[in-house]
Amino acid sequence: MRRRRKAECLFVIYHNVAFVSAADRSDLRGVREADFERQVAFLCRHYEPLTMTRLVAALDGHDRLPARCFYLTFDDGSSEHLAVAERLRAAKLEGAFFVNTKRLSDRRLLTVDKQRLLQYATPDFTEFLQAFCHAAKRLCPGDARRFELTAQNIKEAETFYAEFPFYSPPERFYRKIRDRWLTEAQVGALVDELFGQFFDNEAQLLRTYFMDWDGLRVLQSLGMHVGGHSHAHPLLSKLDAASQYADLQEHVEQLRKQLGVRLTAFAYPYGTGNEDTINILKQEGIRLAFIEDGLPQAGGLRDPYRLSRLGPEKLDILMEAADTGVAAHLGETVSQA
Ligand SMILES: [Zn+2]
């Protein structure tokens, strides 16, 4: 298929910025401070910055998006996002910060936070993976073979998640078990158990790595957009419509009460949702929602509940291509069902 050069929005998704992990390894989805600065400078040079107001105006037909534009988004409420917001403000840029509410109201880490710490802040990922596989086998004894940490299983996971080249094959195996074979409740129980084995300082980790409600108020005062990312960060597509509704309803309410925010934009936890999710978002008056498929958003805002986002590693590929004058091919990726 031949690709025509057409209008392009780069919606960039960051998680951690300048994340310093408890060990030597850092979150692979994060980005070093210097790389972040380099990326923002590149975008400002070649693309026009957007704001949420302008996005909604374009959606309503009151404005047209520039041919090449960008908007930076930040998921999961990391404490480092406050420093990012200050820098964006100084550069006269707006960013969208997609936050979860359960962590803030319960003052506890979410399952996704614990997973990330287990994956990236334990001394040895393999040790965590072994413990995870062992616990999964105990939970689902009938399917024990699929949870074995064998070369064959890891190879299959590597192919299965071929669209995530930045994850190592063992990490893809972990994701495959988590996303395909365990329910959300099972994942939560396993992660809680393993977190207790590897960490004993939840309150401190919470304070170190995440914003509280006051942090979000500072974000607002810096002119940043606060968007929705669900209450508890579940993999929504694995939940029935009623459970999705319960999570999202609580989320919308808490943001309204605590921050006076009436949600305009949403980022799907784990980058994906389903038709039920979209129906609920529409019902709640949310105007646009971001997936994470690693692609630039082409064709304007025609499908506003599935706006493409790309991470820093894909942006680097585009930047290299721009430097060498070669058209970048990011590859067709599919979002997880
Ligand atoms: Zn997230």
Side-chain angles (χ1 to χ4, degrees), residues 87-258:
R87 233 168 276 187
L88 293 181
R89 163 100 168 180
K92 297 192 166 51
L93 295 172
E94 177 193 289
F97 294 78
F98 293 102
V99 301
N100 306 105
T101 37
K102 190 174 196 304
R103 183 193 306 112
L104 302 164
S105 52
D106 290 4
R107 295 179 161 275
R108 300 290 305 268
L109 292 172
L110 301 178
T111 300
V112 65
D113 307 331
K114 292 180 181 176
Q115 280 185 74
R116 206 164 277 157
L117 286 159
L118 283 164
Q119 283 176 272
Y120 302 116
T122 50
D124 178 5
F125 178 76
T126 311
E127 197 189 326
F128 156 65
L129 185 59
Q130 269 165 354
F132 182 78
C133 291
H134 186 74
K137 266 194 287 192
R138 201 196 53 226
L139 206 62
C140 316
D143 302 317
R145 285 184 60 175
R146 61 165 58 147
F147 302 124
E148 299 280 1
L149 195 53
T150 61
Q152 178 65 23
N153 277 344
I154 290 175
K155 185 137 197 59
E156 279 173 25
E158 186 179 1
T159 315
F160 184 80
Y161 274 146
E163 76 261 38
F164 297 131
F166 38 84
Y167 291 127
S168 70
E171 280 177 315
R172 288 184 225 179
F173 182 47
Y174 164 69
R175 284 172 174 262
K176 187 177 176 190
I177 294 176
R178 183 192 73 184
D179 298 346
R180 297 284 151 164
W181 294 323
L182 299 177
T183 65
E184 282 293 275
Q186 286 174 321
V187 173
L190 283 191
V191 166
D192 273 342
E193 179 188 324
L194 294 174
F195 187 80
Q197 281 175 33
F198 285 89
F199 296 97
D200 60 2
N201 50 346
E202 180 174 352
Q204 190 206 329
L205 290 165
L206 184 70
R207 277 195 308 275
T208 306
Y209 290 126
F210 296 99
M211 281 185 281
D212 56 15
W213 285 115
D214 281 338
L216 295 186
R217 291 182 190 107
V218 173
L219 278 187
Q220 288 181 299
S221 73
L222 290 167
M224 300 296 130
H225 182 85
V226 175
H229 195 43
S230 81
H231 187 53
H233 205 292
L235 183 51
L236 288 167
S237 51
K238 269 164 79 174
L239 299 182
D240 61 30
S243 308
Q244 289 194 43
Y245 183 74
D247 178 284
L248 295 172
Q249 182 71 29
E250 181 67 25
H251 183 52
V252 166
E253 263 307 290
Q254 290 206 6
L255 285 173
R256 190 183 59 77
K257 272 196 207 143
Q258 290 282 347

Side-chain angles (χ1 to χ4, degrees), residues 38 121 200 258 268 309 314 323 326:
R38 198 168 46 79
D200 60 2
Q258 290 282 347
Y268 300 99
R309 288 194 298 179
K314 289 286 175 84
D323 284 346
V326 178

Side-chain angles (χ1 to χ4, degrees), residues 15 75-76 116 229 233 269-270:
H15 289 91
D75 285 11
D76 297 339
R116 206 164 277 157
H229 195 43
H233 205 292
Y270 303 105

